[in-house]
Amino acid sequence: NGSASCTSGVCSIVCAAGFANCDGSVGNGCETATTSNPAACGGCGQACSVQNGTPGCIGTQCVIAACTAPYADCNNLYSDGCGTDTSTSLTSCGACGNVCNGTNGTASCTSGTCGIACNVGYGNCDGSVTNGCESNLGTDTLHCGNCATACAYANATAACSAGSCQLVSCSAGYGNCDGAAAN
């Protein structure tokens, strides 16, 4: 991996591009590859290291070869290594770019899975954390006061006000003569 010479009884070597004589011995030549070796990336003593991962070397440049789970390289920067903990990150929960939705609540990321704690008056009635706490329990006729209560009256129009079902009006030809909305 180089060109040897002898001058005045002293051996020397000039290394070929991509190789170096890191141990200083001309007897074994230019023994160290420097274009793909993370221990000598670009030259002797230039070791690559990656926070929470495994380093690599491509064309004399240090790179991230792999990340140690649950960490990931979500910003594609070698300088901070595998700096994202996908088990707890609200912006990269379980995988890079998977944002936990906190609409009308407080988002969480536990063991790489998004969760949400709804604010008072809101519910996650569809069970999906991707759209947050989508139901306003104070006004939603399908989820009035809680996720299980739908406002519906026979032959009438219903509304939800302050978390309680209300009879708005009766259909043409019908009346609420006894004043009981339930029937």
Side-chain angles (χ1 to χ4, degrees):
N1 299 321
S3 300
S5 64
C6 180
T7 305
S8 301
V10 177
C11 291
S12 64
I13 191 165
V14 175
C15 294
F19 292 93
N21 182 10
C22 292
D23 67 1
S25 170
V26 293
N28 60 358
C30 300
E31 80 290 344
T32 304
T34 59
T35 59
S36 60
N37 182 353
C41 190
C44 300
Q46 297 178 18
C48 302
S49 68
V50 173
Q51 175 188 3
N52 303 315
T54 304
C57 178
I58 298 175
T60 72
Q61 295 296 312
C62 290
V63 296
I64 298 170
C67 291
T68 304
Y71 294 94
D73 177 27
C74 294
N75 63 3
N76 295 316
L77 293 175
Y78 170 78
S79 60
D80 65 356
C82 302
T84 303
D85 183 347
T86 61
S87 69
T88 59
S89 172
L90 292 176
T91 58
S92 292
C93 187
C96 293
N98 185 35
V99 178
C100 296
N101 189 328
T103 302
N104 300 317
T106 302
S108 64
C109 178
T110 306
S111 299
T113 301
C114 289
I116 191 164
C118 294
N119 293 339
V120 173
Y122 290 90
N124 182 13
C125 297
D126 66 0
S128 173
V129 294
T130 61
N131 59 356
C133 299
E134 80 291 343
S135 296
N136 182 332
L137 302 176
T139 60
D140 188 346
T141 57
L142 296 177
H143 310 287
C144 189
N146 61 61
C147 289
T149 302
C151 299
Y153 299 113
N155 304 309
T157 301
C160 178
S161 178
S164 296
C165 291
Q166 308 290 319
L167 180 96
V168 175
S169 64
C170 293
S171 300
Y174 292 90
N176 184 12
C177 297
D178 65 2
N183 64 0

